[in-house]
Amino acid sequence: MIQLKRLNGKEFMINAIYIETVEAFPDTTITLTNGKKYIVKDSMSDVRGKITDFYRAIHVLNMTHLKEETDEE
């Protein structure tokens, strides 16, 4: 989950796995895979950073542990 701010300043969390697109219209708009849209105060680059951190935390972007296993075989 990543923490974001709505335009009114209220914080909420969203599951980054379900994010399909992040666009700036100029407000940052997040579209989920189910079509639901959220407009947030966070910049597009901030959202990208939070998504990247999330995927690293669940070890999707850092797969070095898999590479080490294949090197040993």
Side-chain angles (χ1 to χ4, degrees):
M1 303 283 275
I2 61 172
Q3 188 167 351
L4 301 168
K5 279 190 182 180
R6 295 184 190 273
L7 292 179
N8 65 5
K10 186 176 179 182
E11 293 185 349
F12 71 106
M13 296 186 82
I14 192 168
N15 190 336
I17 291 173
Y18 296 113
I19 294 175
E20 186 172 341
T21 60
V22 179
E23 302 171 280
F25 292 129
D27 293 324
T28 306
T29 303
I30 299 170
T31 306
L32 302 183
T33 55
N34 65 4
K36 185 156 175 107
K37 294 182 184 276
Y38 293 92
I39 300 173
V40 298
K41 273 188 173 182
D42 306 79
S43 71
M44 210 163 118
S45 61
D46 288 343
V47 174
R48 182 185 319 119
K50 290 177 181 189
I51 292 169
T52 301
D53 291 344
F54 169 78
Y55 278 105
R56 281 194 180 123
I58 63 170
H59 303 289
V60 172
L61 290 182
N62 185 5
M63 302 296 260
T64 55
H65 64 285
L66 295 178
K67 184 179 182 312
E68 291 169 5
E69 288 176 8
T70 56
D71 289 344
E72 293 174 3
E73 293 175 358

